[in-house]
Amino acid sequence: MSDKRMSSSKKHSLKSMMLQVAKDLLDAEEIEKKEERKRYMEDHCPPLSYPISKQELQELCKELHAKIEDVDEERYILEHKAIMVVNEVKDLNIKIVDLKGKFKKPPLKKVRMSADAMLQALLGSKHKISMDLRANLKQVKKEVKEEDKELRDVGDWRKNIEDKAGMGGRKKMFESEA
């Protein structure tokens, strides 16, 4: 088993060789990128030639002005199209608002429905569920107190007032309570 293991010096030398190869590859890649950048610039950018005479300089200026005018014209056309589109969108939004305003929603009418009818409307006619809510309620008999009967059976109010009028009436009230 000890034969299969590498010595630390051999490991160190392999590691240093791998690092050297990686460094060489990175250097080659960097040089390749620089060359490619140089080729791209040569293909896409013509060499700069300085005009020697005044006439050549004027011609160069005229060419540049012509190119600037073309770009300005194109920019103006695009701006005009953009403004037209924005105005069209505003007009369409106004039409949408107008159309929404023309059609008023009708007020909903209150409908009296029993619980059974509501369940049938919600669940459909297949389900036969009866909801008689009053069936489970207790029946309570009212007990009428005698005092309540007396209060109800007062009779003619004018008669009571005449009886209680004056000192004699007050005396009668006290006598009836005692």
Side-chain angles (χ1 to χ4, degrees), residues 39-71:
R39 274 185 268 135
Y40 179 83
M41 292 302 282
E42 287 174 357
D43 291 345
H44 289 85
C45 298
L48 187 60
S49 61
Y50 296 109
I52 298 172
S53 68
K54 186 177 181 180
Q55 187 177 1
E56 289 177 359
L57 184 61
Q58 286 176 347
E59 287 176 15
L60 179 65
C61 286
K62 286 179 184 178
E63 288 176 20
L64 291 174
H65 281 292
K67 287 180 182 178
I68 290 171
E69 285 178 10
D70 290 342
V71 170

Side-chain angles (χ1 to χ4, degrees), residues 20-35:
Q20 185 62 39
V21 169
K23 184 181 178 195
D24 291 342
L25 288 173
L26 284 173
D27 291 342
E29 190 177 327
E30 190 176 329
I31 291 169
E32 180 65 31
K33 281 184 179 178
K34 284 182 181 177
E35 288 177 4

Side-chain angles (χ1 to χ4, degrees), residues 159-170:
K159 200 174 194 181
N160 286 340
I161 290 176
E162 289 172 3
D163 289 345
K164 294 179 181 176
M167 286 300 283
R170 289 192 184 168

Side-chain angles (χ1 to χ4, degrees), residues 129-141:
I129 297 175
S130 171
M131 221 175 146
D132 188 12
L133 298 174
R134 294 182 182 184
N136 297 330
L137 294 177
K138 284 184 181 178
Q139 297 227 348
V140 179
K141 291 185 178 179

